[in-house]
Amino acid sequence: MKKYTLGMIGLGTMGRNLLLNMADHGYAVTGYDKDPKMLQILEEVGKEHDLKGFASLEDFVQSLELPRRIVLLVPAGAIVDSVIAELSPILDKGDMIIDSGNSHYTDTTRRALALKDQDLHFFGMGISGGEEGARFGPSMMPGGDKKAYSAMKEVLESISAKVNGDPCVTYIGPGASGHFVKMVHNGIEYAMMQLLAEAYDIMKNGMGYQNEQIQAAFAKWNQGRLKSFLMEVTAEVFAFVDEKTGNLMIDMIKDEAKSKGTGKWTSQVSMDLSLPIPTINEAVSSRDVSKFKKLRVELAAAFPHQTSIPENTAELEVQLEEALYFAMISCYAQGLHLLWQASATYEYELNLQEIAQIWRGGCIIRAELLEDIYQAYSKEPALEHLFADKNIQDKIKSTLPSLRKIITLSIENGLPITAFASTLTYFDSLRTEKLPSNLIQAQRDFFGAHTFERTDADGIFHALWNPITL
Ligand code: 6PG
């Protein structure tokens, strides 16, 4: 019986496309899905390829070379556990399961430990790039046992996106680091998307632009230093016509954003690690605010607001590009700072230079800007924060005045620009030598005897504050 190099469980859009990508690169691959419809689609689209679909999990397992390499592309959560429960008893020692969905990193830690007891290698691998990426070259973030990774390295490198010949995949680190890094990738994705949405709002309601002008601005920015996948997608959105009405599709979509949770997880972890990522947090909260449509309609009527459109929109458009550039740098800076902290706390041994490198292509947050970020970490691999890099400092210094101007205009006009505003206040906090946090300490000590540290002596102190009588 013919043996196959790699197997895929879950033949939905992502699984099927990744399998076709592997087959394109000359690998003999096989797939399994409970749903016969998925097997039928695979058979149709894979006619020309060296691949086979199985309706029986046992036959699928038996078709694979040893040690087996099995990729799971099933919805994150309980389904991953049930697939593992069915699969692991029929595997052999040394086989490898690679969970490529957006699983929570704590689930990956738990699953890896449980499977280790059965001498099975469990990898958590984030994949980014959507349907198109899976088919023609995604960015991949695998984490787990390093020795086991060598059995997958060649396949992953060949199917990944490439930038200047470098594959957009690398061994991320031990444990659940692969899924952790993918989660933070998504947090950055949320922040970038929110900034682009706010730029749309500023152009529409602060500058009086029509959709065509907004489309032109996004398309133009995508020709320059803001060139990125998300900018390109955004420009395309503003050119897409709804067949049903003949209107632009953007005007036919409800203003209530959904999410699957990876952004929220990033914010939750940042709180656990006491590591601020305010723009990502605001992006998560803004999606949540958008869901309160009924309340928003009520409050819009209670607090009517007039915006005054300035005349110098050409100058404002230039400033908005600069503000966006600053803010996009900050999205990466916050996400990478979180990775820097997580690497130390969870012993993930993350190489931020390599992470910036594999994000340059294939993934949703790929952008021209990542080249500078990659260079910053190449110069200083232990860099704590991107804002400490001289080249990045030059870029944010030159665009900061525009960020302030755009925010001022937006605030005066009552535009909800939570991501832009938090970008600026985060920066202003970080570049402030003396924050008013001494008052927080005094208040805590006043009402709760929580103690404080002094500027002129080491140790812990408590003051006998004057009592307050209510
Ligand atoms: C990717 C994307 C992908 C998915 C997001 C969407 O990197 O390819 O991030 O994983 O599109 O999870 O997330 P939300 O549904 O939460 O917006």
Side-chain angles (χ1 to χ4, degrees):
M1 186 181 161
K2 173 170 180 173
K3 294 285 182 190
Y4 291 82
T5 310
L6 204 134
M8 175 79 62
I9 296 184
L11 299 173
T13 317
M14 287 296 285
R16 183 172 60 243
N17 281 311
L18 203 65
L19 208 59
L20 287 168
N21 183 354
M22 289 170 185
D24 274 349
H25 286 86
Y27 295 102
V29 287
T30 147
Y32 166 80
D33 200 297
K34 272 200 160 84
D35 185 349
K37 248 190 272 149
M38 294 299 155
L39 288 168
Q40 205 185 324
I41 300 176
L42 181 71
E43 206 167 294
E44 280 160 25
V45 296
K47 269 191 214 113
E48 315 288 312
H49 294 87
D50 190 3
L51 54 78
K52 189 170 168 58
F54 284 95
S56 141
L57 187 62
E58 284 76 11
D59 293 348
F60 163 78
V61 166
Q62 287 315 315
S63 75
L64 294 166
E65 282 168 8
L66 294 176
R68 297 182 182 89
R69 287 166 281 184
I70 299 174
V71 178
L72 307 189
L73 253 167
V74 297
I79 297 182
V80 176
D81 287 313
S82 69
V83 171
I84 293 172
E86 258 185 87
L87 181 65
S88 55
I90 54 172
L91 294 181
D92 290 290
K93 284 183 179 176
D95 286 352
M96 202 182 296
I97 303 175
I98 305 131
D99 172 19
S100 297
N102 276 331
S103 291
H104 195 281
Y105 73 101
T106 54
D107 284 338
T108 304
T109 307
R110 168 178 60 77
R111 289 167 186 148
L113 283 175
L115 290 173
K116 201 173 175 194
D117 290 344
Q118 301 170 46
D119 285 324
L120 296 174
H121 298 293
F122 186 77
F123 264 78
M125 180 167 83
I127 298 193
S128 181
E131 196 178 328
E132 194 76 2
R135 182 68 186 85
F136 299 109
S139 174
M140 289 170 286
M141 291 148 255
D145 184 274
K146 192 166 189 179
K147 278 199 210 114
Y149 175 71
S150 57
M152 285 158 33
K153 191 171 182 276
E154 189 201 294
V155 185
L156 296 180
E157 286 186 354
S158 68
I159 64 162
S160 75
K162 311 280 179 311
V163 173
N164 309 329
D166 295 328
C168 293
V169 62
T170 188
Y171 172 73
I172 295 290
S177 58
H179 273 145
F180 192 95
V181 169
K182 175 60 180 23
M183 175 190 72
V184 175
H185 163 286
N186 280 27
I188 296 171
E189 172 185 310
Y190 273 52
M192 293 173 76
M193 289 167 72
Q194 178 63 25
L195 286 164
L196 290 167
E198 291 178 12
Y200 157 44
D201 200 25
I202 292 168
M203 284 190 275
K204 185 177 175 182
N205 295 313
M207 291 159 59
Y209 272 24
Q210 300 299 312
N211 283 331
E212 293 68 25
Q213 292 168 288
I214 299 173
Q215 195 279 332
F218 283 130
K220 189 166 88 192
W221 296 338
N222 196 44
Q223 305 290 316
R225 59 186 173 173
L226 275 172
K227 185 174 165 50
S228 65
F229 175 71
L230 283 170
M231 187 67 82
E232 189 182 340
V233 164
T234 307
E236 291 283 323
V237 163
F238 280 90
F240 192 89
V241 176
D242 172 31
E243 273 183 15
K244 193 175 157 201
T245 58
N247 297 333
L248 282 182
M249 184 62 93
I250 186 74
D251 291 332
M252 306 310 298
I253 299 176
K254 281 190 179 180
D255 60 340
E256 293 170 64
K258 304 275 190 296
S259 52
K260 294 204 201 76
T262 43
K264 178 186 78 177
W265 297 345
T266 311
S267 291
Q268 287 172 329
V269 174
S270 80
M271 296 287 170
D272 291 341
L273 294 174
S274 306
L275 191 289
I277 50 162
T279 310
I280 295 173
N281 297 343
E282 288 299 351
V284 175
S285 296
S286 294
R287 288 195 193 191
D288 292 339
V289 168
S290 79
K291 291 170 198 152
F292 289 85
K293 180 72 179 182
K294 196 170 139 285
L295 180 63
R296 288 195 284 121
V297 170
E298 251 173 67
L299 295 182
F303 300 97
H305 192 80
Q306 276 278 246
T307 50
S308 57
I309 311 287
E311 277 170 14
N312 57 346
T313 51
E315 191 189 335
L316 279 174
E317 192 182 308
V318 171
Q319 289 168 347
L320 185 54
E321 189 271 347
E322 297 191 335
L324 259 180
Y325 188 67
F326 184 114
M328 291 295 181
I329 293 176
S330 187
C331 292
Y332 292 107
Q334 293 173 44
L336 288 160
H337 197 202
L338 179 58
L339 290 182
W340 172 86
Q341 182 64 65
S343 185
T345 309
Y346 302 138
E347 296 175 355
Y348 280 157
E349 299 159 27
L350 299 181
N351 181 327
L352 299 187
Q353 179 196 347
E354 284 183 6
I355 290 170
Q357 182 178 356
I358 64 163
W359 283 351
R360 290 180 308 169
C363 64
I364 304 294
I365 64 168
R366 63 183 183 262
E368 197 89 343
L369 188 48
L370 272 161
E371 193 58 44
D372 290 297
I373 296 173
Y374 168 64
Q375 294 302 337
Y377 286 102
S378 308
K379 263 187 283 158
E380 178 52 64
L383 190 67
E384 176 180 352
H385 196 287
L386 258 189
F387 290 172
D389 176 76
K390 178 72 182 65
N391 177 38
I392 296 288
Q393 281 179 357
D394 291 343
K395 290 178 191 301
I396 58 179
K397 248 181 219 160
S398 63
T399 48
L400 180 60
S402 290
L403 180 67
R404 286 196 198 284
K405 285 205 188 98
I406 288 294
I407 288 172
T408 308
L409 168 94
S410 306
I411 301 258
E412 276 171 1
N413 278 298
L415 300 178
I417 44 131
T418 56
F420 273 112
S422 62
T423 297
L424 181 59
T425 50
Y426 167 71
F427 170 77
D428 278 336
S429 303
L430 275 184
R431 56 136 205 105
T432 295
E433 192 182 326
K434 188 151 178 18
L435 287 169
S437 319
N438 43 339
L439 178 58
I440 309 285
Q441 285 300 80
Q443 291 161 336
R444 291 176 70 243
D445 190 57
F446 193 124
F447 60 68
H450 294 298
T451 73
F452 53 85
E453 288 164 292
R454 295 184 61 101
T455 56
D456 57 355
D458 289 339
I460 301 289
F461 298 88
H462 167 58
L464 299 172
W465 305 95
N466 292 332
I468 287 193
T469 44
L470 293 174

